[in-house]
Every structure is written in structure tokens, then in C-alpha cells.
Amino acid sequence: MTRTRRPLRELPCDPEHLDLTYTHRQSFGADAYGDTVEGWTVVVREYHEEWDECEGGCGTEACERFMEEGREIGELHLWRLRDRTGMSPWEVANDDGSWELMSMLSPVLDPRTGAYSPAFQETVGRPDGDVLVLERVRLSEKWRGFGLGPVLAAEAIRRLSAGCCAVLTDPGMTDDWYWPGEAEGRPVLRRGDTEGKLAALCVSIGFRPFRDGVHLLDLSRRGPAGPHVPGRAHLRALSHGYYEAGRAEE
């Protein structure tokens, strides 16, 4: 059975029924500036299956809406920096991006030219192409503790990384893989409390430490499988364990 921080009987539903929706907002009059840095949001939803029983009974309007529209249980935010648009990705990201994005780009881009830094070029096997940045992964508390953060991240990377030479993230900033935030009325764990655990999660899907807290996934050296393959195996194991736990309680 797959190892998780929480028992599988606490899974809200079969995790193989989760749904990912990808959104990117683009100006109709796109130009080189708008093409240089793309922001992507991936919303994770759970759906009520026909054979599942709602709390308080089924057949209500809320139940039908849950079946049709789902319920948001998480979100990922990523940035794609496109090469060869004629614009400096550093300058565009500095104008339109977040401070987390700029912090992760500091050891990767030369602020003066916007080109890849010597350290990045020496580390990546083929430093030619776009760069994908995984800025944040959020999951509602009831879905934390089952190892789904890395699984979702690996799926998003697979979907959005075509044409990229590397993926960046900072475990100390992606602090919502598991942990509650202020919006949920709980204390936020400081960087030192979580960084080691989150770094281990990054490593589990192929990231390696680079510089200044930034972890790097070199897509030219990832092999034919990709990080989503072990993630999907973990997801199948969770699904199997969910039904096994349900049968054990009957």
C-alpha cells in the first residue's frame, strides 16, 4: 500500500475522479510583449459521482450542482517564459509577474540582457527553449496529507512544458503543497519549518537543488517517462486504497 501522512479512509472521494482545468488569459491584440510571459492557472475540482451518497442525502439542488459543476479543492499557478520573442523576459516578468517569480528567476536570467545566466547554461543539458516556473500549489485541508501536491504538479508540468528546456520552483515559496494558510484561520508555518519537507516533495518528481533555494527540473535529462509516471502510479494506489478502506469499514 502507498505510504501517506494520513490514513486513506480519510480521502474525501476517489482521487482519480479529480478534474484539472487549465486557464490562460490572453489579449486579443497579442504582441511580443504579451507573448514573452504567460500566466497559467490550473484549478482542481472534485465531483460528486452518482453512486456516492451526499451528507444529508442526495437529490438536492446543491447535490446536482456538485455533480455538474464540481467543487474547487485546489489550484496551481505557473508561468511560462518564452524565448526568442525579441523582448527581455526579465523586464516583462518584472512588470507583469509576482515577486515570487522574480525571486526564482534571479539565478536563472541575467537582468541586463534577459539571457540565461552562465550557471543555468552550465547546469541544463540543452539550455535552448522556454522555461516553465511552478509558483504555487494549493490544496484544501481535507485533501492534504495524501501526496497529491507532487502528483498534480507533475501533471501540470507534463501538460504545459512542451518546448521548455527546464522547470523552476522554490520549495520555500510553494508552501501550500500541504500546509494551511491564514485564509483558513490557522497559523502559517514559516519557511524553515517546511522547506526540507517540501524540497523532498520536489525531488520526488525530478527537481534538483540549483541556487538560492531554487530547484530545477532539467527536461533534457528526464528520460522518456517523465515525472507524471510515478505520480500516476501513486494516484492509482490511492484510488485502490480508498476503496479497500471503504470495504474494510462495511
Side-chain angles (χ1 to χ4, degrees), residues 90-244:
W90 176 270
E91 292 183 2
V92 178
N94 193 39
D95 289 342
D96 294 346
S98 62
W99 72 268
E100 292 95 341
L101 173 63
M102 297 309 298
S103 177
M104 284 185 256
L105 292 180
S106 293
V108 173
L109 296 179
D110 183 335
R112 297 170 300 171
T113 64
Y116 293 137
S117 68
F120 180 82
Q121 295 187 53
E122 292 170 4
T123 302
V124 177
R126 290 196 299 270
D128 181 25
D130 302 345
V131 166
L132 188 68
V133 181
L134 175 63
E135 181 182 87
R136 188 166 295 275
V137 180
R138 290 179 176 152
L139 279 174
S140 64
E141 186 174 3
K142 67 178 183 177
W143 281 98
R144 296 188 183 112
F146 304 107
L148 282 171
V151 176
L152 295 169
E155 285 294 331
I157 289 169
R158 175 179 179 269
R159 185 65 59 182
L160 298 176
S161 64
C164 292
C165 62
V167 187
L168 311 175
T169 195
D170 184 337
M173 293 182 182
T174 314
D175 59 359
D176 285 325
W177 296 81
Y178 283 140
W179 306 115
E182 291 174 340
E184 297 182 20
R186 297 174 180 266
V188 176
L189 300 184
R190 297 276 70 85
R191 182 184 179 112
D193 299 324
T194 63
E195 189 170 8
K197 296 178 182 178
L198 298 175
L201 293 176
C202 290
V203 169
S204 73
I205 56 173
F207 283 93
R208 296 294 181 268
F210 177 51
R211 288 192 173 188
D212 302 333
V214 175
H215 280 52
L216 185 148
L217 173 60
D218 185 349
L219 297 178
S220 68
R221 295 173 177 165
R222 65 179 174 179
H228 69 285
V229 174
R232 289 184 177 182
H234 178 69
L235 189 64
R236 287 192 295 270
L238 288 179
S239 177
H240 177 75
Y242 168 76
Y243 289 111
E244 287 294 311

Side-chain angles (χ1 to χ4, degrees), residues 20-157:
L20 277 65
T21 302
Y22 293 76
T23 304
H24 165 62
R25 183 175 179 180
Q26 175 183 331
S27 170
F28 185 66
D31 53 16
Y33 185 93
D35 287 342
T36 302
V37 177
E38 295 178 357
W40 285 88
T41 299
V42 184
V43 175
V44 187
R45 290 184 175 88
E46 62 174 323
Y47 284 82
H48 173 38
E49 301 295 336
E50 295 181 357
W51 53 83
D52 292 332
E53 183 70 21
C54 282
E55 295 182 9
C58 292
T60 65
E61 182 178 341
C63 173
E64 293 179 1
R65 187 163 56 249
F66 189 12
M67 293 178 65
E68 295 175 1
E69 301 175 7
R71 180 183 297 151
E72 183 175 329
I73 59 100
E75 181 181 276
L76 297 85
H77 192 71
L78 304 95
W79 299 91
R80 181 172 182 139
L81 280 73
R82 293 194 174 275
D83 197 17
R84 298 195 181 97
T85 64
M87 301 290 296
S88 164
W90 176 270
E91 292 183 2
V92 178
N94 193 39
D95 289 342
D96 294 346
S98 62
W99 72 268
E100 292 95 341
L101 173 63
M102 297 309 298
S103 177
M104 284 185 256
L105 292 180
S106 293
V108 173
L109 296 179
D110 183 335
R112 297 170 300 171
T113 64
Y116 293 137
S117 68
F120 180 82
Q121 295 187 53
E122 292 170 4
T123 302
V124 177
R126 290 196 299 270
D128 181 25
D130 302 345
V131 166
L132 188 68
V133 181
L134 175 63
E135 181 182 87
R136 188 166 295 275
V137 180
R138 290 179 176 152
L139 279 174
S140 64
E141 186 174 3
K142 67 178 183 177
W143 281 98
R144 296 188 183 112
F146 304 107
L148 282 171
V151 176
L152 295 169
E155 285 294 331
I157 289 169

